Amino acid sequence: MQGLHLTADLQGCRCASAWLLDAAALGGACTDAVRAAGLQAVGQLFHEFPATARGPGGVTATVLLAESHLCVHTWPEQRTVTLDVYVCNFGADHSAKAHALMDALLALFQPTTADRHALQRGVVSEVAA
């Protein structure tokens, strides 16, 4: 279960509105970024939420990775986004790929501010002989 969990809360996203509103467009960008980072997508779900009195509905984009997952949630009425990248490092260290994926998504959304966190999850245990 040892791995790296990256999160980012983005504010003031200056990206094209499609990245915040269009599930198909955002989903394609997410799967492209996963592939470019060298990770393997094994499933995906992209969902648009309906507009409310507060403004247009956002998008949830989830890409299931062989290494774990990517989740993106958008709030277009606030121009904010939350990002969640987790990679399991059981078979190999995928940390650099996770950082590359996060960096690609930050470049896509162009936030004025980003509150980023990294959490090392689990420990590598030695197998008793």
Side-chain angles (χ1 to χ4, degrees):
M1 88 175 214
Q2 193 276 335
L4 177 64
H5 196 157
L6 304 175
T7 64
D9 298 333
L10 313 182
Q11 294 83 35
C13 293
R14 297 166 289 173
C15 61
S17 293
W19 302 131
L20 302 172
L21 297 167
D22 184 329
L26 180 56
C30 287
T31 55
D32 289 348
V34 162
R35 191 176 312 107
L39 296 166
Q40 181 183 356
V42 296
Q44 59 192 27
L45 180 61
F46 312 124
H47 177 76
E48 289 179 21
F49 291 91
T52 68
R54 292 181 163 185
V59 174
T60 290
T62 302
V63 181
L64 182 63
L65 307 174
E67 301 81 8
S68 197
H69 70 266
L70 160 66
C71 291
V72 179
H73 305 283
T74 73
W75 286 267
E77 73 281 8
Q78 298 176 27
R79 307 255 349 141
T80 61
V81 174
T82 60
L83 304 175
D84 182 346
V85 176
Y86 176 60
V87 292
C88 174
N89 289 331
F90 182 75
D93 186 350
H94 300 288
S95 298
K97 295 174 183 179
H99 284 288
L101 177 55
M102 180 63 77
D103 290 345
L105 293 170
L106 286 166
L108 176 74
F109 290 111
Q110 304 171 27
T112 56
T113 60
D115 185 20
R116 297 176 70 165
H117 297 277
L119 174 66
Q120 291 293 327
R121 297 186 68 181
V123 294
V124 177
S125 60
E126 298 298 322
V127 176

